[in-house]
Amino acid sequence: MSSVMQRLAKAIDGLDEPAVEKIAKDQKEDPFQVLIATMLSAQTKDAVTAAASSRLFRVARTPRSMMRLSEAQLEALIYPVSFYRNKAVHVKQTCRQIMTRFSGQVPSTMAELLTLPGVGRKTANLVLILAHASRENICVDTHVHRISNRLGWVKTRTPDETEHALYRASPRRWWPLINLYLVTWGQNICRPVYPLCPQCVLADLCPKIGVTKVGKLVKG
Ligand code: SF4
């Protein structure tokens, strides 16, 4: 695994970072904005997440100010992220709970984060890694799940299973980086359908488990 991660560290240099990583850096790892951007990002393209987050944060940057927006205002600001109606409800409820139960601070434990509406393990792990500098968590989304299985690191059916299997299968030093490296690779090379195996820097190391058709080489 270490040789794969070392190659990816070099290979992702120059590729676009995932939206939430970019937002986390731009906002100096502000836990609240990382949390909200991650909630908006579920099943949504990066460009849409980035634009919706920036529209929303221009109007409200704190749980106190965001809580005061109506659901209709939230919907209008975050549209067209996927499930924008549900996400508007969850964002508003989450802001209220952060204010009433956590004194305005985004909680810093998995157990507490999971009590917030609309927050699952993927969101909680990313907030812990990006905003609370945790080195104890692995954030698994569909890219991490798919690529970990193609590489043969794990043999699992769901992202939650993959997360738990990766804690056993991977050296701790890579845990906080797995999401950044594999999501970037999944968006550019190891795509869900027609992965670009012929131009992948991992091709000689990867058993390509489950890959039946590969994409065409992109010239230039
Ligand atoms: S060789 Fe193919 S399946 Fe393996 S990581 Fe690269 S793109 Fe993905």
Side-chain angles (χ1 to χ4, degrees):
M1 176 178 189
S2 289
S3 40
V4 166
M5 293 296 279
Q6 279 156 2
R7 279 195 201 175
L8 285 180
K10 287 191 195 135
I12 64 168
D13 196 25
L15 296 177
D16 265 352
E17 285 187 331
V20 177
E21 302 266 351
K22 229 182 278 172
I23 291 165
K25 278 188 192 155
D26 292 350
Q27 306 306 329
K28 304 201 171 26
E29 287 91 28
D30 175 79
F32 177 66
Q33 291 182 43
V34 171
L35 171 66
I36 299 299
T38 309
M39 290 171 77
L40 299 186
S41 74
Q43 295 182 50
T44 299
K45 286 200 182 342
D46 264 21
V48 176
T49 301
S53 302
S54 100
R55 276 195 304 276
L56 179 58
F57 296 150
R58 267 202 295 273
V59 176
R61 308 177 82 83
T62 63
R64 187 186 298 279
S65 55
M66 206 172 282
M67 184 179 83
R68 292 197 186 115
L69 299 175
S70 68
E71 278 168 24
Q73 285 174 308
L74 283 166
E75 283 178 15
L77 286 164
I78 67 176
Y79 180 86
V81 299
S82 308
F83 310 112
Y84 64 94
R85 287 205 174 93
N86 285 344
K87 286 179 183 172
V89 172
H90 286 153
V91 163
K92 191 168 168 69
Q93 289 174 347
T94 285
C95 291
R96 190 176 299 133
Q97 295 207 15
I98 289 173
M99 292 307 297
T100 55
R101 293 173 49 221
F102 299 106
S103 314
Q105 302 298 315
V106 173
S108 58
T109 67
M110 171 64 76
E112 287 172 327
L113 282 164
L114 289 177
T115 66
L116 296 173
V119 174
R121 290 194 67 86
K122 189 197 87 167
T123 298
N125 276 316
L126 204 55
V127 170
L128 292 171
I129 293 167
L130 295 182
H132 293 302
S134 167
R135 306 195 63 79
E136 303 295 316
N137 296 79
I138 303 176
C139 174
V140 176
D141 74 339
T142 56
H143 293 293
V144 176
H145 172 60
R146 178 182 72 255
I147 301 174
S148 297
N149 275 278
R150 284 177 176 171
L151 284 162
W153 290 347
V154 299
K155 195 174 172 199
T156 50
R157 285 163 305 172
T158 65
D160 275 4
E161 279 179 29
T162 300
E163 183 197 338
H164 291 108
L166 281 174
Y167 288 124
R168 295 190 293 275
S170 59
R172 286 179 96 86
R173 70 182 176 119
W174 296 115
W175 290 3
L177 295 169
I178 286 176
N179 186 270
L180 171 63
Y181 288 12
L182 296 196
V183 173
T184 307
W185 210 237
Q187 287 174 342
N188 290 279
I189 304 292
C190 193
R191 304 182 305 204
V193 280
Y194 301 119
L196 302 176
C197 300
Q199 65 191 103
C200 178
V201 294
L202 307 177
D204 61 317
L205 298 174
C206 178
K208 307 174 191 67
I209 293 168
V211 174
T212 49
K213 287 181 181 164
V214 299
K216 289 212 175 81
L217 276 167
V218 179
K219 297 248 166 64

